[in-house]
Amino acid sequence: MERINRILTCSTYQKYLNQNNLAEAGRRFCHHNMGHFLDVARIACILNKEEDYGQSKEMIYAAALLHDIGRWKQYEDGTPHEAASADLAPEILSESGFSAQESDGILEAIRNHRNALIKEEKSLSGLLYRADKLSRPCFACEAEKECDWKKGKKNLKLLI
């Protein structure tokens, strides 16, 4: 997990994480912060093991830590955050020691983490999609009634 720790200590990553935190400082709904990133990574690791996806822990953690790192850009200029995150992540991945091939797989998962068409795929993309959606504890959220997620998308009971 050395490369994951390199992501966490990367100054560029820290800058984007801080920009997310500032952009969501007054937000009542789900935040796109380290807690969310780690929840997604841990849920993805559980699914990976239980459903035999065959993904490495480092690939899962890298995708999870970076999948929403560009959320602040969506607030700033309307860029879809999956696209912004995929645009911001290559420098961090390179500095952290991921190969071009590994980075391509991680970037594909980041770009697709909101694409419902891939949710059943036994790929890093499908895994990240599912873990991201499962990470939201809507059943315990004070703002659930005002949330614009469709009712069928909300986690109104514990699913895993």
Side-chain angles (χ1 to χ4, degrees):
M1 295 290 278
E2 181 181 327
R3 296 185 297 176
I4 299 308
N5 286 313
R6 284 191 215 148
I7 290 173
L8 292 173
T9 59
C10 175
S11 61
T12 304
Y13 181 74
Q14 289 295 317
K15 179 177 88 173
Y16 298 149
L17 187 61
N18 186 55
Q19 287 177 279
N20 272 3
N21 291 337
L22 290 172
E24 295 186 333
R27 184 176 162 90
R28 288 194 62 214
F29 304 105
C30 297
H31 287 236
H32 301 84
N33 57 19
M34 186 58 67
H36 171 60
F37 299 162
L38 291 174
D39 286 347
V40 171
R42 291 170 179 149
I43 290 168
C45 282
I46 292 167
L47 293 172
N48 185 54
K49 185 171 181 142
E50 287 182 351
E51 299 178 16
D52 197 26
Y53 274 73
Q55 298 295 318
S56 78
K57 190 186 282 189
E58 273 196 320
M59 292 289 285
I60 290 169
Y61 267 81
L65 290 173
L66 295 166
H67 81 283
D68 283 339
I69 202 66
R71 184 66 186 212
W72 59 274
K73 293 267 306 158
Q74 187 166 328
Y75 297 123
E76 186 177 273
D77 63 19
T79 302
H81 74 271
E82 64 276 18
S85 298
D87 288 345
L88 298 171
E91 176 186 351
I92 298 165
L93 289 167
S94 176
E95 286 181 23
S96 300
F98 287 87
S99 71
Q101 183 178 359
E102 290 170 319
S103 293
D104 288 346
I106 293 164
L107 295 173
E108 180 181 346
I110 292 169
R111 277 188 215 95
N112 280 303
H113 83 269
R114 296 180 70 206
N115 179 0
L117 297 175
I118 57 92
K119 70 180 174 184
E120 299 301 326
E121 284 184 13
K122 282 221 168 198
S123 64
L124 184 60
S125 293
L127 191 58
L128 185 64
Y129 176 92
R130 291 182 59 216
D132 185 43
K133 303 313 169 259
L134 288 168
S135 72
R136 301 305 189 175
C138 305
F139 57 84
C141 180
E142 294 177 12
E144 182 268 321
K145 299 254 186 282
E146 298 104 58
C147 179
D148 65 0
W149 263 26
K150 293 178 182 162
K151 187 164 180 124
K153 210 174 172 187
K154 292 180 182 180
N155 297 319
L156 298 174
K157 59 184 177 179
L158 191 59
L159 300 173
I160 71 169

